Amino acid sequence: MNCDVEFNWHINEFCNFKCTYCYDKYSKNKNFRGDVNIDKIVNAFKGTGKKCYIYMSGGEPFFYPNFIELCQRLTKDHIIGVNTNLTHKSIYQFAEVINPDKVRSINCSLHILEREKLKLVDDFIEKYYFIKEKGFYTFVTYLVHPYMVHRLGKDYSYFKSQGIILRPKVFKGNGAKFKILESAILRKIRPFFGSNYPEAYTDEQRNIITYYLELSTKEGNFKIDHSEDLNKGRMCDVSLDKFYIKRYPSFKGKNCWAGSKFIRMTSQGDVFRCYDDNQYHGNLFNGKIKLFEVPQKCTAERCGCPYMGFIYSEKGLPT
């Protein structure tokens, strides 16, 4: 799965879940916003002259119009990855027609409160095993929002009994300590009661999360070799959260391949260096992007996506 450049593509902004902790939960415009001209998109990636790793997240990628066709055509020349809540019925078609050798990973995001509310826990397990048995590298992440810490152990044990090892994921951003403050009615006052995470986790919460991070790495055999070359496509490693559980990391001043081997792309095709450096590199769908030829120093005070920061910055943990 050698690739020249990774596109982290926020493919759409629509999701069928209403997770209270989601940054886009109060969006009133649920219409698709982005380019749906598949010919144009496929030709744009081909026009880079590079073999691309195209990681698609949202929103929920499977709600992108004609998503299966898009994946079929992109995987003729490139490698893809998908971050999905695993609800859309086309998951089955995807697993049947897409070559797993062209898919680096499928990150199945388990949002257990929504799953329980919609009575879709068994549906998650069924779809997980369906795509896994088709040969896709599949793993499950569990976002540990502050009001979810108390149930992490129970959920971990249940899914382990079903043969699924959860990968806990540290919550990063502004969040309320109590679920009631996440309601739509009280959202205007939430900033006055919210706290910034991961800094606001209590020591007890950190101990719980760290325990399950280490247990998950051991029981799931999630050992990733970070010594391999960049173009061999190192995986996003959520076990790194144990280093970020107290605060956002910083790679400021270190050389980083963001803007060259990694870029962030919006649903409309606009390309930026990364999530914290908004240096504009053009619009891919218009065929006009210019990437750095060599690594550049990181200018961000913090790294909003430390998994990518660890992969693409100079070797070693952040300050």
Side-chain angles (χ1 to χ4, degrees):
M1 292 197 178
N2 293 357
C3 296
D4 301 313
V5 58
E6 173 176 352
F7 284 80
N8 206 297
W9 184 14
H10 191 95
I11 192 172
N12 67 6
E13 297 167 0
F14 173 79
C15 183
N16 56 321
F17 277 3
K18 297 179 181 178
C19 301
T20 58
Y21 44 74
C22 181
Y23 65 93
D24 198 35
K25 59 184 174 292
Y26 301 123
S27 174
K28 295 180 180 179
N29 181 11
K30 290 300 182 183
N31 295 321
F32 178 80
R33 288 174 285 180
D35 202 318
V36 297
N37 186 328
I38 292 179
D39 286 338
K40 180 179 179 181
I41 292 171
V42 171
N43 289 334
F45 279 108
K46 187 174 183 178
T48 64
K50 299 178 181 293
K51 184 174 182 180
C52 305
Y53 170 46
I54 306 161
Y55 182 74
M56 294 170 280
S57 64
E60 171 49 47
F62 278 87
F63 281 96
Y64 181 93
N66 302 310
F67 183 66
I68 306 300
E69 179 188 352
L70 174 68
C71 292
Q72 283 180 303
R73 296 186 59 184
L74 288 177
T75 53
K76 288 182 179 179
D77 300 303
H78 308 288
I79 302 296
I80 66 170
V82 186
N83 185 341
T84 173
N85 65 22
L86 218 61
T87 54
H88 201 281
K89 62 182 180 180
S90 65
I91 290 284
Y92 296 107
Q93 183 187 5
F94 177 94
E96 293 282 5
V97 303
I98 302 299
N99 181 357
D101 291 337
K102 293 298 188 78
V103 181
R104 184 175 293 172
S105 67
I106 299 179
N107 178 358
C108 304
S109 297
L110 175 63
H111 301 284
I112 191 64
L113 296 181
E114 285 294 293
R115 285 277 173 181
E116 291 177 340
K117 181 175 70 176
L118 299 171
K119 298 182 173 20
L120 290 174
V121 175
D122 290 341
D123 173 80
F124 181 92
I125 296 171
E126 177 185 307
K127 288 192 175 83
Y128 168 84
Y129 274 111
F130 187 87
I131 58 178
K132 185 177 180 65
E133 289 167 3
K134 291 293 182 180
F136 293 89
Y137 180 75
T138 307
F139 60 92
V140 178
T141 53
Y142 179 107
L143 182 64
V144 192
H145 191 275
Y147 61 69
M148 298 288 291
V149 180
H150 72 283
R151 62 174 294 167
L152 173 58
K154 180 187 74 171
D155 291 333
Y156 186 95
S157 295
Y158 174 74
F159 279 89
K160 180 182 175 182
S161 75
Q162 301 299 308
I164 299 173
I165 301 299
L166 303 182
R167 296 191 184 190
K169 191 175 181 181
V170 168
F171 177 73
K172 306 175 187 71
N174 185 273
K177 294 182 179 180
F178 305 103
K179 186 179 178 182
I180 189 173
L181 294 175
E182 296 282 358
S183 69
I185 297 175
L186 299 176
R187 69 181 183 271
K188 290 184 179 180
I189 67 171
R190 193 187 73 174
F192 299 100
F193 296 93
S195 301
N196 293 320
Y197 289 84
E199 292 88 345
Y201 280 123
T202 66
D203 288 340
E204 181 182 5
Q205 289 175 324
R206 289 193 183 99
N207 290 337
I208 293 171
I209 297 170
T210 300
Y211 173 79
Y212 284 102
L213 277 169
E214 294 176 349
L215 186 64
S216 171
T217 301
K218 178 181 177 181
E219 295 187 333
N221 194 28
F222 302 140
K223 185 177 181 181
I224 298 175
D225 182 5
H226 292 289
S227 65
E228 47 181 296
D229 294 335
L230 285 176
N231 66 0
K232 291 185 178 178
R234 288 183 281 178
M235 297 289 297
C236 173
D237 184 1
V238 296
S239 70
L240 293 169
D241 276 14
K242 62 186 176 183
F243 298 111
Y244 314 141
I245 200 167
K246 291 186 176 180
R247 58 187 170 87
Y248 272 99
S250 174
F251 298 90
K252 187 175 181 180
K254 291 188 175 185
N255 283 331
C256 182
W257 285 98
S260 174
K261 294 182 180 294
F262 169 88
I263 51 177
R264 173 175 70 90
M265 188 167 76
T266 68
S267 58
Q268 295 85 7
D270 288 315
V271 171
F272 300 89
R273 186 183 183 194
C274 67
Y275 287 91
D276 292 276
D277 186 334
N278 287 322
Q279 182 163 348
Y280 187 60
H281 289 266
N283 186 288
L284 178 73
F285 300 159
N286 292 335
K288 298 177 181 178
I289 65 169
K290 184 174 177 58
L291 304 181
F292 297 138
E293 295 182 0
V294 296
Q296 306 288 317
K297 289 191 180 301
C298 175
T299 61
E301 294 295 331
R302 67 177 192 177
C303 185
C305 189
Y307 316 121
M308 298 300 103
F310 183 85
I311 292 173
Y312 291 104
S313 70
E314 291 178 332
K315 291 183 178 181
L317 295 174
T319 57

